[in-house]
Amino acid sequence: MQEKKYVFSAEAKAKKRAVVVIFSLFLLFLVVFFLGVQTGTIHLPFQRVIPALLNQGTVKESFLVFQLRMPRIIISVLVGAGLAVSGCILQSVTRNPMADPGILGINAGAGLVVLVYIAGFAKNSPSPAGMSILSWVGSIGAAFTIYLLARNGNKGLSSTRLLLTGIALNFGIQAITTIITLSLNPQEYQTYAYWMAGSLWGVTWPYVVTLLPLVTVSIIIVLSQASTLDVLPLGDSMAASLGVSVRKRQGIAILFSVILAGSCVAAGGNIGFVGLLSTHISRRLVGAVHKRLLPVTALVGGLLVLIADTIGRSMFLPSEMPTGIVVSVIGAPYFLYLLLRTAKREGS
């Protein structure tokens, strides 16, 4: 009886902590949102932000807010949330704390297909829907290749082989990408380089309309599978003993991870480390139970990309630093830290 009381008490504390964390993240988001509306080549004074948002500003202010900055802010949040949840799924399914769609080559696969399209079939950029489809094709192809190569016979996925296979595939795709870019004219190369740097190039309302339902519906479906994601990290035999069809659930989870990554890469370009950073930060904040971890991860990811985009737009005026580079400056040292910690743990 006392043990049950302790479990209920621990669960209540965890729920209370998650509510506090989510509320704090929303407050931080509001602060960054207002900074994002103000920030840019044309500075919008703080006292003019509220009137502009209420459509009571000048024509110039309304255009600046609703046509230039609001789509960019929304895309930043959607891309960050989608990549974060994608990374969270991959870490749970593969039981590898370093899994991330950017590190494993899923983003690079999407980029390769888009590059082939730009180089051979289009003078101009494809539509938002077309970009999403192209990114899906590349992401699914990369994920399927990694899955086949990382499988350890009938034992299922090997987390170590998956990480090494993904990194190797990432380098291989980048090598192919470099060869293809040599055939591009300067304008095509500039378009692709800008896209692959994670420059949030799809910052128009058509991209918002395309990305919003894809990310929202996918995250809702993944949330409905939170209990399954709690079981998968326990191992294949343990999950099977609890009545979970391991391979089927792994396949479904990876599919939605790829859909999220491909959709977000279509609008945001190749932004890495978001899933890695967001999942680790969120796990420290609310623990590993996915019904709390997934929504917090989505919020942290959206906030991370929004902060990175705001920094990139404000620190080097009148120039901009691509959002993907800002995230990489933060994420690369953390990835090396995880590698060293994992190597030390396996060596001890």
Side-chain angles (χ1 to χ4, degrees):
M1 189 71 180
Q2 188 175 0
E3 185 178 347
K4 286 185 177 180
K5 186 177 180 181
Y6 173 78
V7 171
F8 287 138
S9 175
E11 180 68 13
K13 287 182 179 179
K15 287 182 178 179
K16 184 177 180 181
R17 181 180 178 84
V19 170
V20 172
V21 168
I22 290 172
F23 180 72
S24 301
L25 289 172
F26 270 118
L27 289 180
L28 184 57
F29 169 77
L30 288 176
V31 173
V32 181
F33 170 79
F34 279 104
L35 288 174
V37 173
Q38 287 184 268
T39 301
T41 306
I42 301 174
H43 178 73
L44 185 65
F46 180 77
Q47 63 270 21
R48 299 301 307 164
V49 172
I50 298 297
L53 290 172
L54 296 175
N55 204 21
Q56 296 176 356
T58 64
V59 174
K60 181 180 178 181
E61 289 172 344
S62 296
F63 179 82
L64 183 67
V65 170
F66 290 105
Q67 297 302 320
L68 298 181
R69 293 184 182 169
M70 283 295 289
R72 183 162 187 155
I73 289 171
I74 296 172
I75 288 292
S76 298
V77 174
L78 290 174
V79 167
L83 291 175
V85 173
S86 176
C88 185
I89 295 170
L90 288 175
Q91 289 183 27
S92 299
V93 170
T94 62
R95 301 185 291 277
N96 192 316
M98 289 175 286
D100 177 89
I103 295 170
L104 296 182
I106 293 174
N107 292 1
L112 177 60
V113 173
V114 171
L115 173 62
V116 171
Y117 180 88
I118 292 174
F121 300 100
K123 297 298 181 183
N124 300 313
S125 300
S127 66
M131 283 290 289
S132 296
I133 293 171
L134 290 170
S135 294
W136 288 344
V137 171
S139 297
I140 291 172
F144 186 69
T145 303
I146 294 168
Y147 181 80
L148 289 179
L149 295 176
R151 284 185 62 191
N152 188 14
N154 294 324
K155 297 180 181 179
L157 285 174
S158 166
S159 60
T160 303
R161 287 178 64 177
L162 183 138
L163 180 65
L164 294 176
T165 301
I167 292 175
L169 183 67
N170 199 356
F171 280 114
I173 291 174
Q174 288 180 8
I176 296 171
T177 297
T178 302
I179 294 171
I180 296 176
T181 55
L182 296 176
S183 66
L184 299 179
N185 62 47
Q187 184 178 358
E188 291 171 340
Y189 178 79
Q190 186 176 7
T191 299
Y192 180 74
Y194 187 73
W195 184 78
M196 282 305 292
S199 300
L200 291 177
W201 79 308
V203 289
T204 59
W205 286 112
Y207 274 94
V208 173
V209 172
T210 302
L211 190 61
L212 180 60
L214 288 172
V215 172
T216 304
V217 172
S218 296
I219 291 178
I220 290 173
I221 293 173
V222 171
L223 279 171
S224 70
Q225 302 297 313
S227 58
T228 300
L229 291 174
D230 286 334
V231 175
L232 290 178
L234 299 177
D236 293 351
S237 57
M238 178 66 73
S241 68
L242 294 173
V244 176
S245 178
V246 177
R247 291 189 179 180
K248 179 181 177 182
R249 296 297 182 180
Q250 280 182 337
I252 293 173
I254 290 173
L255 176 63
F256 277 101
S257 174
V258 170
I259 288 173
L260 283 167
S263 301
C264 293
V265 169
N270 188 20
I271 302 177
F273 298 111
V274 176
L276 180 76
L277 286 171
S278 302
T279 305
H280 280 271
I281 292 171
S282 302
R283 195 175 282 121
R284 288 178 177 273
L285 291 174
V286 296
V289 178
H290 283 81
K291 67 180 180 181
R292 293 186 287 269
L293 178 62
L294 286 168
V296 172
T297 299
L299 288 171
V300 171
L303 190 58
L304 174 64
V305 175
L306 182 58
I307 290 173
D309 182 56
T310 304
I311 291 173
R313 288 192 291 124
S314 61
M315 286 193 66
F316 303 96
L317 292 174
S319 300
E320 291 186 9
M321 177 177 285
T323 305
I325 293 178
V326 179
V327 176
S328 295
V329 168
I330 302 170
Y334 191 76
F335 178 64
L336 292 174
Y337 161 74
L338 286 177
L339 279 175
L340 292 173
R341 192 177 71 171
T342 302
K344 184 177 180 181
R345 185 183 301 166
E346 291 179 352
S348 60

